[in-house]
């Protein structure tokens, strides 16, 4: 199916120009930037609406809230849904001293930072194992990215900005280890082992602003008892200058085999200035996710507490800007908006889902389906364009049906839908598992409403369907991203049980966040640090683009081979130059059914892949394992002489070639890949079965 972004007059002009070019000699051949054999739909860019949580809880300096999950161990949070700070001079709180957000009643006090403490609650709150937003030495914290490239300045450890966007907003000296005697301060969890409250009683306290803890694990990797203060290891950035720290894999800022105190201090200072609250974490990580994005989609943005205002001539809540091409100028605008994101108010996630869905239901000539949203369009809207909603939140919706414009939808995922027709196909949602549940007006119900219903009944239904998303009508897919949250169900393992009916959806609001993604054929992510959040959003963006390319004709452009009851399809994705080979079952009519396997999913972990190369540098040339240690000096030299990437990075470079992705993207060593399999272009699959012996048994074990 072809969905061209150009009107017929333009296509005729392009064809005429092409005929002219073919009639004259070419001075120089220009390599094609996409496969020549392609049924790509002309590059119709998908729509992505970004909705950010700007609720007051985004000012919190702890995650999660009510229950701390440590594998199978659960511990009640000593803070819950209240506000605290980690430094007595900090004003980035909800209702705390100097804060413009929230009420004073929401603020409890400052988490004690006494190096001699025996109170497990202090240690739990200052450990990234149990407070996932707190400083984690395994993470490299970098200043926020700039839209035009580069980054903001590293934070000063002796004068760390409280607000990275306000140089005059005060600083904190993170090296100032001192005794504090201030009756006006309220401290939480003083040094003794029994204090479980926050108190302003007169008591001097030793304080180290650079203190952090790690909860130990046993030999099996299971966390020890988090309520036993002796099970924590103590660290501080204010140890002696000769102190060294463990260099974890992501700590590429540490140039040696360990991290120096200077390097640890810098990392800690960057965390404090740029990532110590949920709001700061979300702003920086979302910008990080989009920092490498180019003009391959159209993007709009909004925040969950934004009131009604005109968006492209229609009064709209939540959305702050309608869809626009993601040009360099647009990226700059988005970054400016992100870096000014407030945090105050409730968490009306259901209303946000409703308002974005209503936006994608617009049929006017300035709306989201038009060629140039926001402008008066005279051309017909594209019938194959996809629309996605990216929702970033700290979790628990709090809005009420009938208030603030939220309209009831009932138990929509347990209600059959209307029959929808398209060219040669039809579909009706019949409320199967794992989508249906027994509750009404959940976030998942609102997600289902805007998936199962045709949002543009006036347009032909030509969105290309897939096995993972059968919708061929105009609809909305949701990617939901939770900040360090966990429900009662496990997204990694429980979907088959929900499908079978051995488990069911309950009332947990984090599970509902996942359920919303399932209902709309999207994806759910839970992220606890800047890198995880940025990668989750990159994955969401990548899926929107890859779905466009894979499902809009590109994926099935190569020749396919059918054998009995199976169909083998080699795939390629233009732009990312990656691919896959997939097998599908064929029904009695020869139509492709369920996917049986995908080569991309079967590739072993990079360290377990059996990859070999011919090594002529050996005394007796032979096939050897393709590892840096396994090849001869001659083969190493053949990969690059002195100063080359191979010579400098050695095993790290070879591991990258083997499929190791730990050093990809951003400020790391190598380019970011969308997959480890190359693009299968103009390639015919050949069914081998057991009839050919390729001599693999002669290779080394």
């Amino acid at each position: 199916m072809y969905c061209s972004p150009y009107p017929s007059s333009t296509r005729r002009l392009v064809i005429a120009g092409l005929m002219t070019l073919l009639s004259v000699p070419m001075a120089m051949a220009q390599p094609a930037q996409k496969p020549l054999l392609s049924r790509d739909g002309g590059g119709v860019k998908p729509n992505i609406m970004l909705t950010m949580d700007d609720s007051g809880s985004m000012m919190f300096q702890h995650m999660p809230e009510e229950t701390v999950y440590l594998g199978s161990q659960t511990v009640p949070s000593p803070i819950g849904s209240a506000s605290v700070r980690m430094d007595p001079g900090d004003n980035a709180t909800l209702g705390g001293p100097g804060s413009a957000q929230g009420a004073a009643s929401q603020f409890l006090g400052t988490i004690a930072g006494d190096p001699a403490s025996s109170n497990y609650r202090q240690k739990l709150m200052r450990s990234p194992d149990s407070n996932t937003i707190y400083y984690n030495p395994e993470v490299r914290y970098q200043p926020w990215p700039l839209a035009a490239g580069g980054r903001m300045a590293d934070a000063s450890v002796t004068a760390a900005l409280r607000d990275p966007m306000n140089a005059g907003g005060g600083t904190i000296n993170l090296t100032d280890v001192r005794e504090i005697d201030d009756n006006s301060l309220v401290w939480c969890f003083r040094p003794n082992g029994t204090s479980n409250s926050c108190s302003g009683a007169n008591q001097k306290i030793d304080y180290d602003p650079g203190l952090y803890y790690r909860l130990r694990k046993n030999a099996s990797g299971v966390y020890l008892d988090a309520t036993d203060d002796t099970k924590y290891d103590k660290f501080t950035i204010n140890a002696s200058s000769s102190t060294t720290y463990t260099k974890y894999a992501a700590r590429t800022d540490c140039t040696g085999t360990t991290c120096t105190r200077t390097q640890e201090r810098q990392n800690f200072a960057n965390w404090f200035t740029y990532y110590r609250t949920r709001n700061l974490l979300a702003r920086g990580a979302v910008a990080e996710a989009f920092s490498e994005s180019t003009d391959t989609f159209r993007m709009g943005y909004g925040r969950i507490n934004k009131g009604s205002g005109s968006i492209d001539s229609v009064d709209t809540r939540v959305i702050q800007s309608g869809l626009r091409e993601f040009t360099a100028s647009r990226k700059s605008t988005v970054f400016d908006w992100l870096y000014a994101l407030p945090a105050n108010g409730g968490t009306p996630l259901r209303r946000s889902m409703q308002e974005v869905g209503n936006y994608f239901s617009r049929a006017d000539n300035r709306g989201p389906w038009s060629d140039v949203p926001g402008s008066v369009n005279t051309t017909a809207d594209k019938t194959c364009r996809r629309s996605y909603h990216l929702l970033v939140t700290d979790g628990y919706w709090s809005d009420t049906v009938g208030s603030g414009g939220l309209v009831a939808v009932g138990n929509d995922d347990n209600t059959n839908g209307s029959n929808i027709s398209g060219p040669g196909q039809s579909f009706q949602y019949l409320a199967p598992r794992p989508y249906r549940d027994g509750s009404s007006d959940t976030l998942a119900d609102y997600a289902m409403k805007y998936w199962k219903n045709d949002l543009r009944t006036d347009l032909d239904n030509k969105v290309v369907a897939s096995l993972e998303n059968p919708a061929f009508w105009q609809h909305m897919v949701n990617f939901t991203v939770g900040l360090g949250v966990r429900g009662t169900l496990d997204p990694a393992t429980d979907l088959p049980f929900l499908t079978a009916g051995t488990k069911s959806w309950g009332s947990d609001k984090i599970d509902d966040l996942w359920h919303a993604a399932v209902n709309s054929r999207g994806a759910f992510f839970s992220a606890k640090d800047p890198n995880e959040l940025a990668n989750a959003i990159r994955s969401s963006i990548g899926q929107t683009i890859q779905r466009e390319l894979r499902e809009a004709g590109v994926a099935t452009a190569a020749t396919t081979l059918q054998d009995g009851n199976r169909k083998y399809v080699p795939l390629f994705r233009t732009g990312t130059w990656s691919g896959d080979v997939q097998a599908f079952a064929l029904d009695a009519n020869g139509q492709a059914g369920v996917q049986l396997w995908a080569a991309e999913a079967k590739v072993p972990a990079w360290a377990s892949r059996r990859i070999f190369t011919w090594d002529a540098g050996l005394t007796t040339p032979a096939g050897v394992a393709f590892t840096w240690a396994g090849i001869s000096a001659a083969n190493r030299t053949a990969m690059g002489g002195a100063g080359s990437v191979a010579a400098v990075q050695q095993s790290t470079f070879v591991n990258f070639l083997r499929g190791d992705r730990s050093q990809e993207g951003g400020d790391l060593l190598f380019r970011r890949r969308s997959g480890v399999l190359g693009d299968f272009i103009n390639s015919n699959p050949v069914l081998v079965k057991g009839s050919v012996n390729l001599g693999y048994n002669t290779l080394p074990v």
Side-chain angles (χ1 to χ4, degrees):
M1 185 177 296
Y2 188 79
C3 181
S4 173
Y6 306 112
S8 58
S9 59
T10 302
R11 293 200 298 270
R12 287 194 295 268
L13 180 60
V14 171
I15 293 170
L18 179 60
M19 295 300 293
T20 301
L21 287 172
L22 291 175
S23 66
V24 297
M26 296 296 290
M28 181 180 296
Q30 174 66 34
Q33 296 306 299
K34 64 170 61 179
L36 297 178
L37 176 57
S38 172
R39 293 191 290 134
D40 186 352
V44 177
K45 297 176 182 177
N47 295 328
I48 301 177
M49 180 59 68
L50 169 67
T51 303
M52 296 293 294
D53 188 336
D54 64 343
S55 63
S57 60
M58 291 294 286
M59 291 301 296
F60 286 176
Q61 299 188 19
H62 65 287
M63 295 191 304
E65 292 179 23
E66 301 301 334
T67 303
V68 176
Y69 294 93
L70 296 159
S72 60
Q73 178 185 179
T74 59
V75 181
S77 169
I79 296 300
S81 298
S83 175
V84 294
R85 61 187 176 186
M86 299 297 166
D87 190 280
D90 194 359
N91 64 349
T93 63
L94 188 66
S99 172
Q101 288 86 18
S105 60
Q106 297 172 291
F107 179 72
L108 292 182
T110 306
I111 301 297
D114 191 325
S117 176
S118 61
N119 193 321
Y120 85 83
R121 298 169 188 85
Q122 172 190 302
K123 299 180 179 183
L124 182 145
M125 292 301 295
R126 290 184 178 270
S127 169
D129 302 293
S130 41
N131 176 8
T132 59
I133 202 171
Y134 196 67
Y135 175 74
N136 187 345
E138 297 183 34
V139 176
R140 182 184 180 186
Y141 296 95
Q142 299 188 81
W144 290 351
L146 300 171
R151 296 185 178 275
M152 296 182 182
D154 277 327
S156 167
V157 71
T158 57
L161 292 175
R162 298 191 299 189
D163 180 354
M165 299 305 294
N166 182 8
T171 62
I172 301 293
N173 183 351
L174 299 172
T175 68
D176 186 13
V177 180
R178 62 199 186 275
E179 181 184 71
I180 297 178
D181 185 7
D182 186 342
N183 291 340
S184 67
L185 291 176
V186 176
W187 292 97
C188 299
F189 320 130
R190 290 172 178 271
N192 68 77
T194 60
S195 174
N196 62 356
S197 62
C198 303
S199 170
N202 182 19
Q203 183 179 346
K204 295 179 181 179
I205 186 170
D206 290 327
Y207 176 69
D208 181 351
L211 193 64
Y212 65 92
Y213 299 89
R214 298 307 305 268
L215 179 61
R216 294 195 298 277
K217 299 178 180 179
N218 63 21
S220 300
V222 177
Y223 279 110
L224 302 180
D225 184 1
T227 63
D228 182 348
D229 78 284
T230 66
K231 300 300 188 289
Y232 292 84
D233 291 326
K234 180 181 69 177
F235 302 88
T236 176
I237 65 169
N238 296 313
S240 65
S241 59
S242 60
T243 302
T244 59
Y245 303 79
T246 301
K247 179 182 178 180
Y248 295 96
R251 290 295 302 277
T252 54
D253 54 315
C254 302
T255 54
T257 56
T258 59
C259 297
T260 66
R261 188 185 74 164
T262 298
Q263 292 163 340
E264 194 71 3
R265 280 184 162 185
Q266 184 61 73
N267 205 44
F268 192 95
N270 284 345
W271 162 79
F272 183 88
T273 291
Y274 293 104
Y275 300 102
R276 74 185 182 282
T277 72
R278 300 179 188 179
N279 173 269
L280 291 171
L281 167 65
R283 289 152 70 187
V286 172
E288 189 73 44
F290 283 99
S291 64
E292 298 178 12
S293 296
T294 56
D295 188 10
T296 54
F297 52 85
R298 291 129 54 101
M299 182 178 176
Y301 53 84
R303 51 189 178 86
I304 63 175
N305 283 293
K306 186 259 180 186
S308 183
S310 179
I311 298 298
D312 301 333
S313 302
V314 175
D315 283 343
T316 308
R317 297 183 184 91
V318 178
I319 296 172
Q320 201 148 355
S321 175
L323 294 163
R324 300 292 187 270
E325 303 276 338
F326 198 69
T327 61
S329 175
R330 181 62 165 179
K331 180 188 288 189
S332 180
T333 300
V334 171
F335 277 37
D336 289 345
W337 172 77
L338 275 172
Y339 290 160
L341 187 72
N344 203 0
T347 313
L349 299 184
R350 294 182 297 173
R351 188 184 69 178
S352 299
M353 185 79 72
Q354 169 189 279
E355 295 304 309
V356 175
N358 288 343
Y359 173 75
F360 281 128
S361 301
R362 285 177 56 169
D364 59 279
N365 60 3
R366 297 177 184 265
W369 303 96
S370 58
D371 284 351
V372 187
S375 300
V376 176
N377 288 263
T378 58
T379 58
D381 293 346
K382 299 296 177 292
T383 58
C384 63
R385 195 184 304 277
R386 297 182 179 278
S387 292
Y388 300 90
H389 179 210
L390 175 57
L391 175 63
V392 180
T393 176
D394 64 359
Y396 304 84
W397 52 260
S398 61
D399 40 355
T400 302
V401 171
S403 177
L406 182 61
V407 179
V409 295
N411 192 358
D412 210 61
D413 54 21
N414 202 13
T415 304
N416 293 346
S418 302
N419 188 71
I420 301 176
S421 298
Q425 57 189 327
S426 65
F427 180 90
Q428 183 183 15
Y429 175 75
L430 297 176
R433 297 186 181 97
Y435 311 108
R436 71 178 188 233
D437 63 14
S439 302
S440 296
D441 299 319
T442 64
L443 186 68
D445 287 316
Y446 288 88
M448 178 58 75
K449 174 183 177 179
Y450 297 102
W451 181 83
K452 77 176 186 182
N453 292 301
D454 189 350
L455 303 185
R456 287 291 305 274
T457 56
D458 58 319
L459 292 180
D460 290 339
N461 293 321
K462 294 185 177 180
V463 176
V464 181
S466 69
L467 293 172
E468 59 199 23
N469 184 4
F472 52 83
W473 56 92
Q474 290 73 35
H475 62 283
M476 181 174 79
V477 174
N478 291 281
F479 292 98
T480 56
V481 183
L483 299 181
V485 292
R486 175 174 166 177
T488 61
L489 296 169
D490 187 350
T493 59
D494 282 344
L495 190 60
F497 301 111
L498 290 164
T499 303
T502 53
K503 288 190 176 183
S504 60
W505 300 105
S507 60
D508 186 89
K509 292 181 179 179
I510 303 305
D511 290 339
D512 194 22
L513 196 63
W514 174 36
H515 192 181
V518 171
N519 275 2
S520 60
R521 279 49 168 191
F524 167 76
F525 304 90
S526 180
K528 64 180 182 293
D529 62 53
N531 293 342
E532 282 193 3
L533 179 53
N535 287 334
I537 296 171
R538 284 194 191 101
S539 178
S540 300
I541 301 168
Q543 288 191 48
T544 68
I545 303 303
Q546 289 183 19
R547 287 185 183 191
E548 281 297 304
L549 295 171
R550 185 174 69 246
E551 298 167 9
V554 178
T556 58
T559 305
T560 61
L561 171 72
Q562 299 182 12
D563 171 62
N565 63 347
R566 290 191 180 186
K567 176 180 180 181
Y568 302 88
V569 185
L571 313 176
F572 62 83
R573 304 182 185 98
T574 56
T576 61
W577 298 102
S578 59
D580 196 5
V581 176
Q582 297 178 358
F584 297 88
L586 294 177
D587 62 20
N589 297 318
Q591 298 299 310
V594 297
Q595 183 187 102
L596 299 173
W597 53 259
E600 195 171 37
K602 288 182 171 291
V603 176
W606 69 269
S608 301
R609 297 180 71 183
R610 301 185 65 192
I611 305 175
F612 303 92
T613 185
W614 185 255
D615 197 334
L618 300 175
T619 303
T620 302
V624 298
F626 182 56
T627 63
W628 185 258
I631 61 177
S632 67
N635 263 24
R636 293 177 181 178
T637 301
M639 295 178 67
S644 68
V645 174
V648 174
Q649 299 301 333
Q650 299 183 359
S651 61
T652 303
F653 177 58
V654 172
N655 292 345
F656 168 75
L657 297 178
R658 290 177 57 87
D660 180 9
R661 306 189 63 187
S662 65
Q663 297 296 320
E664 293 183 17
D667 297 323
L668 299 177
L669 295 171
F670 307 117
R671 65 178 178 85
R672 188 183 306 282
R673 294 176 289 191
S674 62
V676 295
L677 292 181
D679 44 323
F680 298 95
I681 304 173
N682 302 342
S683 301
N684 297 334
V686 176
L687 185 65
V688 176
K689 286 190 173 180
S691 60
V692 176
N693 182 358
L694 298 178
Y696 291 140
N697 60 310
T698 64
L699 292 172
V701 177

